[in-house]
Every structure is written in structure tokens, then in C-alpha cells.
Amino acid sequence: MRKKAMTSSANDGEFETSTTTSVRPWLTPDAHRSLVRERADLMRTENASGSDDPDSIVQNRHRRARIRQIDVILRDAVVGEDPPDDGIAEPGMVLTVQYDDINTAETFLLGSRDETEQDNLEVCSPDSPLGRALAGAKPGEQRTYRVPNGATVRVTLIEAAPYGRFQRLAL
């Protein structure tokens, strides 16, 4: 889902239109089923434990936090809906990129890290530095982002295709 944002400059009265992205988690149907199963398993485990042991209390807190995290993902998720086949990088697209310092291309799904690995396809979160840098990119566009050690990496988007099309071609 893309939204237009209007900003104005106080000095010259000009308006600048920019595109911002409201990112909802994008899940394959398999990833959605996996999260539903994980949540059910966590709920069963939580209901079965009733110990006052300090380790058990900490484990229950972690379990409840994961249940809340899954609930947020499932509540807001877009499940299996392919984005438009317009070549623009956004969640649900399989991206092929090339880094300036590497001669080979890399392909990955821009989506939730909770994806399953059934396609042998790497997953890049839209919230990661690379995912944020590529959001809205068109084929041929170069983007830069900072990695944790502070270095700047330049990446070029080669192709962006909806996951469903990629999946059909992989069969």
C-alpha cells in the first residue's frame, strides 16, 4: 500500500510530492499456516505449564511475548496477495539485485522473516536496512544503505517480480 505525502517549503511556497510506504507484513500462505500452528503450540504449552519455578516464569514471559508478536503479524498481514506486477520493489516481490562490489546477482523475497524456506529463497525484511533502501525502487535504480559496521553499500535493482509469478516459474 503506497500513500502520497505532500510537504511544502515555507520559503518558496513550492510543493513536493513524495511516496511513502505503509508496510504491512507480507506472508506466503505457507508462512501464515506456520505462524498459526506456532501460536497454537505456544498457547497449548502456556496452558499446560503452571510452575512457580523462576525459569518457568521467564519462559512463560518469552512465550507470551512471542504470542503477542505473532498476533500483530497475523492481524496486519497480507497473505499471498501478489502486489502489482509493475517492477517496483515492495513486500511480496522477489527481487534480483547486484551489489557494486560483487559480480553476481542475488535473488530474495522482500517479505516477513517468518517465511518458510520451502522455495530455497532467501527472505529480506522490508524493515531491514536493505529492505528500506530498496522500497519503491524500479529496475536499474541504484540505492545505498548503511550496514551495522557503518559502511555504505550500493545496490542496483535488476528485477522485481511478484512472488506468485516466481513461484509458478519455479515449478
Side-chain angles (χ1 to χ4, degrees):
M1 164 191 294
R2 292 190 192 105
K3 295 189 266 184
K4 293 281 186 184
M6 296 290 276
T7 58
S8 66
S9 169
N11 295 337
D12 55 19
E14 292 181 12
F15 286 91
E16 177 182 294
T17 303
S18 64
T19 301
T20 59
T21 304
S22 173
V23 178
R24 292 174 54 199
W26 189 92
L27 300 171
T28 64
D30 287 335
H32 183 266
R33 282 188 292 275
S34 176
L35 284 173
V36 168
R37 276 192 306 270
E38 180 185 354
R39 186 186 187 287
D41 290 345
L42 289 168
M43 292 297 291
R44 268 192 302 278
T45 305
E46 183 175 36
N47 292 337
S49 64
S51 173
D52 288 337
D53 174 44
D55 288 338
S56 180
I57 292 169
V58 170
Q59 288 173 348
N60 279 333
R61 283 186 188 145
H62 289 290
R63 191 173 13 263
R64 283 192 295 273
R66 178 62 180 155
I67 290 168
R68 283 190 302 273
Q69 181 184 33
I70 292 171
D71 285 344
V72 167
I73 292 169
L74 292 176
R75 181 184 64 234
D76 296 335
V78 174
V79 181
E81 276 182 41
D82 277 343
D85 194 357
D86 56 8
I88 296 174
E90 63 183 293
M93 299 293 268
V94 176
L95 308 182
T96 301
V97 300
Q98 185 164 2
Y99 300 93
D100 272 5
D101 59 347
I102 302 173
N103 290 332
T104 59
E106 180 178 294
T107 300
F108 54 85
L109 172 64
L110 189 61
S112 172
R113 286 260 181 223
D114 289 302
E115 294 296 323
T116 60
E117 295 180 11
Q118 75 178 45
D119 296 317
N120 294 322
L121 186 63
E122 293 291 322
V123 177
C124 177
S125 169
D127 296 325
S128 70
L130 175 59
R132 285 192 307 270
L134 289 170
K138 296 176 184 167
E141 283 188 31
Q142 283 189 338
R143 302 287 178 94
T144 58
Y145 66 99
R146 286 203 187 280
V147 292
N149 72 4
T152 299
V153 176
R154 188 179 3 227
V155 62
T156 303
L157 179 66
I158 306 299
E159 181 183 20
Y163 175 77
R165 185 172 67 155
F166 170 84
Q167 191 179 33
R168 284 188 300 276
L169 293 174
L171 295 177

